[in-house]
Amino acid sequence: MTDIVLVGAAGRMGAAITLAATESSGCRVVAGVDPIAAASGDTRWSQSLAAAYRKGTVVVDFSSPSGAVASAQFCAANGAPLVCGTTGLDAAAEAAVREAGARVAVFRASNFSIGVAALRQLLATALQAVPKHWDIEIVEKHHRLKKDAPSGTALTLADDALAARGLSRDALRHGRHGVVGARTGAEIGVHAVRGGTFVGDHQILLAGDGESLEIRHVAEDRAAFAHGAVAAARFVGSAPAGVYGMNDLLK
């Protein structure tokens, strides 16, 4: 049995992961951590990971950038495997999470759905097939309450495209406004749409001369991510120290 301590338990993903764990054989959430909810008087959640953690449990973090860093540091110090799906991390926070992989198993992904993993593989294949001068634009849609933009998944897709084209993140164009001039070949557009209740919609446009290609993934329910996170928890529960991702889970 894989026991999970869930950080960010009171959030939407926390609820989805709790449900997914109950539907999964061999996995369960044994404690939830949510400092804000606990501070407001919700006794279902612990205020700190230190109070909720028990030796042998896997920590699953879907909280905030600062919370993810704190979870990673705690896990490294206490020998706890970590699954981190929190998005919106800057470079320093991302590095701090991954540094824990030197001491414990860390599963890091911006998106835990099987469909998005397939989308990344399709993008890699498409970029190898089309001419190098084809333009790349990424459009993502999420619900009105999402705090970070662009989404972590959009940035992962952008990083895949940048690597394929030999470009750095300086080549990303986050939206366009005013007289910005003609589009250059050395840029990748990334556009964030916020509104309604979109769970996650990621579209990649590859545009050439007189033709274009679109690749798209639509998440209709957070269960698509939650079941992947539970599977990741089972994976790191018996994995050696290191940093893992969706490709490792799908092997």
Side-chain angles (χ1 to χ4, degrees), residues 111-170:
N111 191 301
F112 286 81
S113 82
I114 302 300
V116 166
L119 179 70
R120 294 182 65 189
Q121 293 179 3
L122 289 170
L123 174 60
T125 300
L127 288 176
Q128 290 177 345
V130 303
K132 296 294 185 182
H133 70 270
W134 277 38
D135 300 321
I136 306 171
E137 298 280 312
I138 299 169
V139 182
E140 56 97 344
K141 302 175 186 176
H142 282 84
H143 56 89
R144 63 171 67 91
L145 298 179
K146 185 170 177 61
K147 296 178 181 179
D148 57 307
S151 69
T153 302
L155 289 174
T156 296
L157 294 168
D159 284 339
D160 289 345
L162 291 169
R165 291 288 174 86
L167 300 171
S168 72
R169 278 200 175 181
D170 291 337

Side-chain angles (χ1 to χ4, degrees), residues 135-139 171-192 205:
D135 300 321
I136 306 171
E137 298 280 312
I138 299 169
V139 182
L172 298 183
R173 179 67 69 91
H174 296 281
R176 298 181 179 87
H177 176 74
V179 182
V180 297
R183 190 192 196 284
T184 71
E187 70 179 64
I188 294 175
V190 183
H191 312 281
L205 171 66

Side-chain angles (χ1 to χ4, degrees), residues 59-60 78 185 189 224 236:
V59 175
V60 176
N78 290 275
V236 295

Side-chain angles (χ1 to χ4, degrees), residues 34-58:
D34 203 293
I36 295 176
S40 67
D42 193 332
T43 58
R44 291 176 296 172
W45 320 121
S46 295
Q47 283 194 311
S48 70
L49 178 53
Y53 175 72
R54 296 293 181 271
K55 186 174 178 60
T57 56
V58 175

